[in-house]
Amino acid sequence: MKEILDKITSYNLFNYLLPGILFVVILEKITTYTFIQKDVIIGAFVYYFIGLVISRFGSLIVEPFLKKISFLEFADYKDFVSASKKDPKIEIFSEANNMYRTLSAMFILLISVKLYEVFWNKILYPAEWNIYILVASLLLMFLFSYKKQTAYVVKRVNANKEQT
């Protein structure tokens, strides 16, 4: 267990675990849904996974939307890699940036779940389909996350290759 705790980074805490815990606590207050776990170990994994889902939603949906409406503007990735080597604080700022994106995504999802709860009986499919729709949505989201992460790895490799 100590080895697992030693490997948890601040990124994992602030971008996965914290949003997952906050989501579950706030969700229970504003809806009839509850994901709070009695077992601490199981809870940590459930909350981490929920936070991971929230983070991926932020990365795949919130961030591109905000870029599309010109709310955000990103630096060229090669410039980011180069500047990060010269200024280690950029990585810290980037981590904080991702935390804000994840928290924004969390609030969007909280509102979405509340709206779903209020209007679910007006949706034209049987409630039994919910689990299948959820699983299919998560599969798609993680496939696109995998694609996006692979593209980042390739960009980083290429950026480092050009600098040597």
Side-chain angles (χ1 to χ4, degrees):
M1 183 65 161
K2 185 184 181 326
E3 294 85 27
I4 292 173
L5 292 175
D6 289 342
K7 292 184 183 203
I8 294 176
T9 64
S10 63
Y11 188 91
N12 293 123
L13 285 173
F14 294 114
N15 283 288
Y16 301 144
L17 194 55
L18 176 66
I21 292 169
L22 287 174
F23 182 84
V24 167
V25 169
I26 296 169
L27 188 74
E28 186 178 47
K29 300 287 185 205
I30 67 170
T31 70
T32 58
Y33 303 121
T34 184
F35 293 101
I36 293 180
Q37 303 294 308
K38 289 181 173 52
D39 184 286
V40 174
I41 302 294
I42 292 172
F45 283 102
V46 168
Y47 307 145
Y48 184 91
F49 180 74
I50 290 170
L52 177 65
V53 168
I54 293 166
S55 175
R56 296 305 79 216
F57 177 80
S59 175
L60 293 172
I61 307 296
V62 175
E63 179 181 297
F65 173 76
L66 294 176
K67 284 166 97 175
K68 187 172 183 84
I69 65 168
S70 299
F71 187 81
L72 293 176
E73 185 180 323
F74 280 36
D76 180 68
Y77 196 73
K78 289 177 189 172
D79 294 340
F80 171 79
V81 171
S82 177
S84 294
K85 290 177 181 177
K86 297 173 188 165
D87 184 354
K89 287 198 178 214
I90 291 174
E91 292 285 343
I92 296 167
F93 293 143
S94 181
E95 185 176 315
N97 223 27
N98 289 337
M99 181 182 66
Y100 299 142
R101 181 192 65 208
T102 300
L103 290 173
S104 298
M106 179 193 76
F107 290 113
I108 291 168
L109 287 171
L110 283 167
I111 292 166
S112 299
V113 172
K114 181 61 182 175
L115 290 172
Y116 174 80
E117 181 185 45
V118 170
F119 297 111
W120 78 270
N121 59 347
K122 295 179 182 2
I123 297 174
L124 302 175
Y125 63 84
E128 303 84 51
W129 291 11
N130 286 348
I131 190 67
Y132 301 110
I133 292 169
L134 176 64
V135 169
S137 298
L138 290 174
L139 172 61
L140 279 173
M141 186 173 65
F142 280 105
L143 283 172
F144 280 101
S145 292
Y146 181 43
K147 180 181 178 181
K148 183 177 181 180
Q149 192 65 29
T150 301
Y152 274 131
V153 171
V154 169
K155 278 184 182 178
R156 188 137 190 139
V157 168
N158 289 338
N160 280 300
K161 197 174 7 176
E162 291 174 10
Q163 293 177 0
T164 55

